[in-house]
Amino acid sequence: MTDNQSVGAELIGLAVAGVGVVGTLGATVAAQWAGFRGKRLDAEIQRDQHAEQRLQSRMEQQHEQKQSAYSAFNTAARNYRMYLHHCVIELERGGQPDRDGLEAARESYREIYAQAQMVIPDRVLEVSAELDRCLANTYRVIHNTVDRTEAERLDKLHRWLDGPVLEAVWLLRQVLREDLGVTSESPDLHVKVAALASARAEQFDTGAGGPICRLQRNIGT
């Protein structure tokens, strides 16, 4: 082998060795880069999972709070209507209604209703506002009838509380359950609310309040 051939062989050897070193370094760098990328992806996945868990937790907490508020509102409305009903029964019997119990039920209802108004959607508010007018007008009549026992007026109030008002309380429960996703939406809600408003107008525009009441307009809480 000549000197030139020897030098050429050495250069080729160095080149091959260089390629091997570069390949080894490249593989190492590629492996490190892949490892870093994998860790970054894992970290992003974990962050996304934690964010999703926090969001789910907040949604569950909000749902529980709404469920609690709706349960309290439903109970307060039922109790208020029940005390109004008891008062009418006592007046029919010639006795005196439980004023303290009625006032306590009314105040509890008013407080809970005021709180509920901040969270209930328009669909529920439509029903609750009409129910509130029904209850408030009834309270006003009974409040002005505590010392009188006019049979015809009391009989009409009794039928009003056992009919439209009871249905209104049921309708409130229905829309609250709808908003919580417990049951499907009623397609004829507006019709039912309109029928309730019509019944209220008939109840209090035909002398149901009696001569000492003189209801001139609808009232609410």
Side-chain angles (χ1 to χ4, degrees):
M1 178 181 297
T2 64
D3 291 339
N4 290 336
Q5 289 177 332
S6 177
V7 172
E10 291 176 357
L11 291 175
I12 292 173
L14 290 174
V16 171
V19 170
V21 171
V22 172
T24 301
L25 291 174
T28 301
V29 171
Q32 292 177 343
W33 180 84
F36 291 148
R37 179 175 175 78
K39 291 180 179 179
R40 186 170 63 252
L41 290 175
D42 289 342
E44 291 176 357
I45 292 173
Q46 290 181 358
R47 283 197 299 270
D48 292 341
Q49 290 177 340
H50 291 161
E52 184 177 352
Q53 290 172 355
R54 288 193 297 270
L55 177 61
Q56 182 66 25
S57 178
R58 284 198 300 270
M59 292 178 61
E60 291 177 355
Q61 184 178 13
Q62 290 173 356
H63 183 80
E64 291 176 357
Q65 291 174 344
K66 178 182 284 189
Q67 188 175 31
S68 177
Y70 282 8
S71 177
F73 185 28
N74 178 60
T75 299
R78 286 193 298 105
N79 287 343
Y80 189 16
R81 179 256 166 202
M82 180 186 69
Y83 269 96
L84 290 169
H85 186 258
H86 288 345
C87 285
V88 171
I89 292 176
E90 285 300 317
L91 287 168
E92 287 178 323
R93 292 173 177 172
Q96 289 297 321
D98 181 5
R99 299 187 187 187
D100 293 339
L102 176 59
E103 291 301 326
R106 178 172 178 259
E107 287 304 314
S108 176
Y109 164 80
R110 292 176 64 185
E111 180 179 353
I112 294 174
Y113 178 45
Q115 296 172 354
Q117 284 178 304
M118 300 298 101
V119 297
I120 57 179
D122 290 343
R123 181 178 175 85
V124 179
L125 189 60
E126 179 183 7
V127 176
S128 63
E130 180 56 41
L131 171 61
D132 180 59
R133 286 188 286 268
C134 291
L135 293 171
N137 276 284
T138 305
Y139 168 82
R140 189 177 186 183
V141 172
I142 293 175
H143 182 73
N144 286 281
T145 315
V146 291
D147 295 322
R148 299 174 67 90
T149 54
E150 297 178 11
E152 182 179 356
R153 186 192 340 171
L154 292 174
D155 179 66
K156 190 168 185 178
L157 277 176
H158 199 156
R159 287 184 280 110
W160 158 252
L161 285 165
D162 279 343
V165 179
L166 183 61
E167 293 175 3
V169 172
W170 179 89
L171 186 59
L172 174 66
R173 182 185 65 180
Q174 175 71 14
V175 294
L176 291 175
R177 284 165 54 85
E178 288 176 7
D179 191 53
L180 290 173
V182 177
T183 185
S184 57
E185 289 189 358
S186 174
D188 57 348
L189 178 66
H190 297 299
V191 176
K192 292 178 179 178
V193 175
L196 179 59
S198 178
R200 172 175 49 78
E202 181 180 358
Q203 174 71 23
F204 296 106
D205 287 347
T206 55
I212 65 171
C213 186
R214 297 187 180 88
L215 286 174
Q216 299 296 326
R217 60 184 177 84
N218 294 314
I219 58 174
T221 55

